[in-house]
Amino acid sequence: MTMLSHRFSRALAQGRARPAEPPSRASLLATLLQKRATAHQMGAEELESLLRAQIRWSLPIVREPGNGSAE
């Protein structure tokens, strides 16, 4: 998927009614993983890269007490 088609898709989505919030972080993550797998099967490398970034962002960060580093 090219950047232009991604922008067009986002513009169309903005005109639609907002979807309901996902019931939990786990269901959101599951949805993103399914979309990434579909993008991978289609060979849409750019879209898959965008979805990977969203997946990383949605993962919980657990910090160890004392050192402040992410696991």
Side-chain angles (χ1 to χ4, degrees):
M1 179 179 254
T2 66
M3 187 55 83
L4 180 61
S5 61
H6 177 68
R7 287 183 185 164
F8 181 67
S9 167
R10 289 182 68 192
L12 285 176
Q14 288 174 354
R16 296 184 181 131
R18 286 201 140 204
E21 293 277 328
S24 68
R25 181 187 296 240
S27 66
L28 172 65
L29 186 56
T31 300
L32 287 171
L33 288 168
Q34 289 172 345
K35 288 181 178 184
R36 193 220 45 91
T38 301
H40 177 75
Q41 289 174 348
M42 291 174 28
E45 294 175 9
E46 198 171 317
L47 178 59
E48 185 180 1
S49 176
L50 289 170
L51 289 165
R52 284 180 186 269
Q54 288 180 358
I55 290 166
R56 276 191 298 276
W57 181 84
S58 70
L59 290 172
I61 297 174
V62 178
R63 298 182 190 275
E64 289 185 22
N67 68 6
S69 67
E71 285 186 25

